[in-house]
Every structure is written in C-alpha cells, then in structure tokens.
Amino acid sequence: MVATPKTVRQSPLKVDPETDQLISQGAHFLGLTKKDLVAEAVRVYLEQRREDLRAGMVEALQVLDGSLKSDVMLLTGLTAEEIDAVGGIDE
C-alpha cells in the first residue's frame, strides 16, 4: 500500500484595501503574481527579523517546561510569582 501525500489547503489572505493595492501594484511592476510577491516579502521580512523570532521562541520555551504551573502561566498570562501569591499549584 502506498501512502498518498497530504494536500495542504491554501488559505486566503485578507488585507485592507490599501495594502491590497500596494500588493497589486508591486506585483504588476515586478512581473510577479500577487501570491509570489507576498510569499517573497514574508520570507525577506522574517529573515530580517530572525533575531526577534529567536528571542520569542526562547521565551516561549522557557515558559513551557512541562509542569502544570507552566501550563497555567501560558493559559492565564500570570507569572510564577503571581500564581504562588494566590496559593500556588499542587503538581
């Protein structure tokens, strides 16, 4: 039996009319499709913000240590100190 590859559903990107106009004009004058322009722009933007992305991932991983307290912190936005101040959590 051969496994069939899972097809990824494309989602529409909703932007305001002014941004859509910029995308349309940029794509036209660069000879790209709107889809290709947006994809390339996102790749470039994320490359330029790589350090910000890394810092965000590190921060998220520090919160997710596998404990019940970290789950509560993530879901509620409370700090460990705030949780402890209201009685803490029995692990």
Side-chain angles (χ1 to χ4, degrees), residues 17-77:
E18 183 179 330
T19 301
D20 184 58
Q21 185 67 29
L22 288 171
I23 293 168
S24 295
Q25 289 174 352
H28 173 76
F29 291 113
L30 291 171
L32 300 170
T33 64
K34 288 171 64 171
K35 177 180 167 182
D36 289 342
L37 175 63
V38 170
E40 180 64 19
V42 169
R43 278 191 290 279
V44 169
Y45 180 79
L46 292 177
E47 179 64 32
Q48 291 175 347
R49 305 280 312 264
R50 180 184 299 221
E51 184 54 35
D52 296 332
L53 282 170
R54 190 195 69 72
M57 288 186 285
V58 167
E59 183 179 334
L61 289 173
Q62 288 172 342
V63 173
L64 296 173
D65 65 3
S67 68
L68 179 57
K69 184 183 276 188
S70 71
D71 291 345
V72 172
M73 289 169 57
L74 184 64
L75 291 171
T76 64

